[in-house]
Amino acid sequence: MRKPIIAGNWKMHKTAGEGVILVQELNALTNAVNDVEIVVCPPFTALTAIAAAIAGTNIGLGAQNMHWEEKGAFTGEIAPGMLKDIGCTHVIIGHSERRQYFAETDQTVNNKLKAALKAGLKPIMCVGEALVDREANATERVVGAQVKGGLEGLSAQQVAGLVIAYEPIWAIGTGRTASAEDANAVCAFIRRTVAEMFGQASAESIRIQYGGSVKPDNVAELMAKPDIDGALVGGASLEAESFSKLVKFK
Ligand code: PGA
């Protein structure tokens, strides 16, 4: 069966020193967990220090973004190979904040997914509808287009190993979680879309996270749903105590 994956997206929080303390505290609370994949995604400036701090632990390291080119004149950007080189295993691609504030599109998400896979990184591709979309009953249309656009040109085998995070924009950082039923319905829709594009085997092995105000008091209900295989967590990942409770959701 699919191994649950709980990932912490620290966004623009924590210096390197603060991040090291956080992962040390986290490791003390979660080092016995072996049936859940744990990933932390600190800012770029903390990655190297945290790679050293988590060496030999069960915690994986993800970046929050990357460029799709291998190198070149792209001031301010970070290449996939650079992330791999400093010990990243994962990378978040197309978070809604990147789409909203930094003009990322399904096309750039697709370019980045291909580049991440080529570099040997495991992408966590984010999709999710805005409140206006949900209110207009357009959730499946919007999320379906993001999934199709993002995954275009990938092989069934590549898709089988992917993680997709379904994050309704209206639930991010708002304290307003999607109900477990609604979250599962969209995750199931994403899985059906993957099945149509790449076949049943890819759909069954791809892991789909829910994200958007996941907290210790709602994680168990979300994780109990059949199509929710994990969580991508912002706010509640910034403290070891709360993040460890999400990792130990059972
Ligand atoms: P949140 O963020 O848990 O603070 O809502 C989730 C995310 O943006 O990944």
Short mmCIF file of all heavy atoms in Angstrom, two decimals, residues 7-9 11 92 95-97 126 165 167 171-175 211-215 232-237, ligand 1:
data_model
loop_
_atom_site.label_atom_id
_atom_site.label_comp_id
_atom_site.label_asym_id
_atom_site.label_seq_id
_atom_site.Cartn_x
_atom_site.Cartn_y
_atom_site.Cartn_z
N ALA A 7 4.67 16.25 4.95
CA ALA A 7 5.72 17.20 4.61
C ALA A 7 5.43 18.56 5.23
O ALA A 7 4.28 19.02 5.21
CB ALA A 7 5.85 17.32 3.09
N GLY A 8 6.46 19.18 5.75
CA GLY A 8 6.34 20.51 6.34
C GLY A 8 6.88 21.56 5.39
O GLY A 8 8.05 21.49 5.00
N ASN A 9 6.03 22.49 5.01
CA ASN A 9 6.44 23.59 4.14
C ASN A 9 6.64 24.82 5.03
O ASN A 9 5.68 25.43 5.46
CB ASN A 9 5.34 23.83 3.09
CG ASN A 9 5.57 25.08 2.28
OD1 ASN A 9 6.67 25.65 2.29
ND2 ASN A 9 4.54 25.51 1.55
N LYS A 11 7.79 27.64 4.32
CA LYS A 11 7.62 28.94 3.63
C LYS A 11 8.77 29.87 4.00
O LYS A 11 9.89 29.41 4.17
CB LYS A 11 6.24 29.52 3.94
CG LYS A 11 5.13 28.51 3.66
CD LYS A 11 3.75 29.09 3.66
CE LYS A 11 2.76 27.96 3.37
NZ LYS A 11 1.38 28.45 3.27
N ILE A 92 9.16 20.96 -3.64
CA ILE A 92 7.78 21.38 -3.88
C ILE A 92 7.74 22.14 -5.20
O ILE A 92 8.57 23.01 -5.44
CB ILE A 92 7.28 22.30 -2.74
CG1 ILE A 92 7.30 21.56 -1.39
CG2 ILE A 92 5.87 22.81 -3.03
CD1 ILE A 92 7.00 22.47 -0.19
N HIS A 95 3.56 25.50 -5.83
CA HIS A 95 2.70 25.88 -4.69
C HIS A 95 1.81 27.06 -5.10
O HIS A 95 2.23 27.91 -5.88
CB HIS A 95 3.58 26.25 -3.49
CG HIS A 95 2.79 26.44 -2.23
ND1 HIS A 95 2.13 27.62 -1.95
CD2 HIS A 95 2.51 25.60 -1.22
CE1 HIS A 95 1.49 27.48 -0.79
NE2 HIS A 95 1.70 26.27 -0.34
N SER A 96 0.62 27.11 -4.54
CA SER A 96 -0.31 28.17 -4.97
C SER A 96 0.24 29.57 -4.72
O SER A 96 -0.08 30.51 -5.46
CB SER A 96 -1.66 28.02 -4.27
OG SER A 96 -1.52 28.16 -2.88
N GLU A 97 1.11 29.71 -3.70
CA GLU A 97 1.72 31.04 -3.48
C GLU A 97 2.69 31.38 -4.61
O GLU A 97 2.83 32.54 -4.99
CB GLU A 97 2.40 31.07 -2.10
CG GLU A 97 1.36 31.13 -0.99
CD GLU A 97 1.78 30.50 0.32
OE1 GLU A 97 2.99 30.28 0.54
OE2 GLU A 97 0.88 30.22 1.15
N CYS A 126 1.89 20.80 -6.44
CA CYS A 126 0.70 21.36 -5.78
C CYS A 126 -0.36 21.79 -6.79
O CYS A 126 -0.05 22.42 -7.80
CB CYS A 126 1.08 22.57 -4.95
SG CYS A 126 2.32 22.23 -3.69
N ALA A 165 0.04 17.35 -4.14
CA ALA A 165 -0.61 17.93 -2.96
C ALA A 165 -1.84 18.70 -3.42
O ALA A 165 -1.72 19.65 -4.20
CB ALA A 165 0.34 18.85 -2.22
N GLU A 167 -4.28 21.33 -2.49
CA GLU A 167 -4.39 22.40 -1.50
C GLU A 167 -5.38 23.46 -1.98
O GLU A 167 -5.01 24.35 -2.76
CB GLU A 167 -3.02 23.06 -1.30
CG GLU A 167 -1.95 22.12 -0.80
CD GLU A 167 -0.82 22.88 -0.12
OE1 GLU A 167 -0.24 23.79 -0.74
OE2 GLU A 167 -0.55 22.58 1.05
N ALA A 171 -8.21 27.35 1.89
CA ALA A 171 -7.94 26.66 3.17
C ALA A 171 -6.52 26.88 3.67
O ALA A 171 -6.19 26.48 4.78
CB ALA A 171 -8.20 25.16 3.01
N ILE A 172 -5.68 27.53 2.86
CA ILE A 172 -4.27 27.68 3.23
C ILE A 172 -4.09 28.84 4.19
O ILE A 172 -4.42 29.99 3.86
CB ILE A 172 -3.40 27.89 1.97
CG1 ILE A 172 -3.43 26.63 1.10
CG2 ILE A 172 -1.97 28.24 2.37
CD1 ILE A 172 -2.65 26.75 -0.19
N GLY A 173 -3.57 28.54 5.36
CA GLY A 173 -3.25 29.58 6.33
C GLY A 173 -4.47 30.31 6.88
O GLY A 173 -4.34 31.33 7.55
N THR A 174 -5.65 29.79 6.63
CA THR A 174 -6.87 30.48 7.04
C THR A 174 -7.52 29.84 8.26
O THR A 174 -8.45 30.41 8.83
CB THR A 174 -7.92 30.43 5.90
OG1 THR A 174 -8.17 29.06 5.58
CG2 THR A 174 -7.43 31.17 4.67
N GLY A 175 -7.06 28.65 8.62
CA GLY A 175 -7.72 27.93 9.70
C GLY A 175 -9.01 27.27 9.23
O GLY A 175 -9.70 26.61 9.99
N GLY A 211 -3.56 19.52 1.71
CA GLY A 211 -2.92 20.62 2.43
C GLY A 211 -3.89 21.78 2.60
O GLY A 211 -4.76 21.99 1.74
N GLY A 212 -3.74 22.50 3.68
CA GLY A 212 -4.63 23.64 3.96
C GLY A 212 -5.13 23.54 5.39
O GLY A 212 -6.08 22.82 5.67
N SER A 213 -4.40 24.23 6.29
CA SER A 213 -4.78 24.26 7.72
C SER A 213 -4.90 22.86 8.34
O SER A 213 -5.82 22.60 9.12
CB SER A 213 -6.08 25.06 7.92
OG SER A 213 -5.90 26.39 7.47
N VAL A 214 -3.97 21.98 7.98
CA VAL A 214 -3.91 20.68 8.67
C VAL A 214 -3.30 20.92 10.05
O VAL A 214 -2.26 21.58 10.19
CB VAL A 214 -3.05 19.66 7.89
CG1 VAL A 214 -2.94 18.35 8.67
CG2 VAL A 214 -3.65 19.41 6.50
N LYS A 215 -3.98 20.42 11.07
CA LYS A 215 -3.59 20.63 12.47
C LYS A 215 -3.70 19.31 13.22
O LYS A 215 -4.38 18.39 12.74
CB LYS A 215 -4.53 21.65 13.15
CG LYS A 215 -4.70 22.96 12.41
CD LYS A 215 -3.51 23.89 12.59
CE LYS A 215 -3.73 25.19 11.82
NZ LYS A 215 -2.57 25.78 11.23
N LEU A 232 0.48 18.15 3.34
CA LEU A 232 1.48 19.20 3.16
C LEU A 232 1.06 20.31 4.11
O LEU A 232 -0.05 20.83 4.03
CB LEU A 232 1.52 19.68 1.71
CG LEU A 232 2.56 20.76 1.39
CD1 LEU A 232 3.98 20.31 1.72
CD2 LEU A 232 2.49 21.15 -0.09
N VAL A 233 1.97 20.64 5.02
CA VAL A 233 1.60 21.44 6.19
C VAL A 233 2.43 22.71 6.28
O VAL A 233 3.67 22.64 6.23
CB VAL A 233 1.85 20.61 7.47
CG1 VAL A 233 1.33 21.36 8.68
CG2 VAL A 233 1.23 19.23 7.37
N GLY A 234 1.77 23.84 6.42
CA GLY A 234 2.48 25.09 6.61
C GLY A 234 2.62 25.41 8.09
O GLY A 234 3.51 24.92 8.78
N GLY A 235 1.68 26.19 8.60
CA GLY A 235 1.74 26.71 9.97
C GLY A 235 2.11 25.68 11.03
O GLY A 235 3.00 25.91 11.85
N ALA A 236 1.44 24.53 11.00
CA ALA A 236 1.65 23.54 12.06
C ALA A 236 2.97 22.78 11.91
O ALA A 236 3.30 21.94 12.75
CB ALA A 236 0.48 22.55 12.11
N SER A 237 3.76 23.09 10.86
CA SER A 237 5.06 22.43 10.72
C SER A 237 6.18 23.26 11.36
O SER A 237 7.33 22.85 11.40
CB SER A 237 5.39 22.18 9.24
OG SER A 237 5.73 23.38 8.58
P1 PGA B 1 -1.11 25.86 6.09
O1 PGA B 1 -0.27 25.87 4.72
O2 PGA B 1 -0.95 24.48 6.69
O3 PGA B 1 -0.49 26.94 6.93
O4 PGA B 1 -2.53 26.14 5.73
C1 PGA B 1 -0.31 24.77 3.85
C2 PGA B 1 0.53 25.05 2.62
O5 PGA B 1 0.49 26.15 2.08
O6 PGA B 1 1.25 24.13 2.15
#
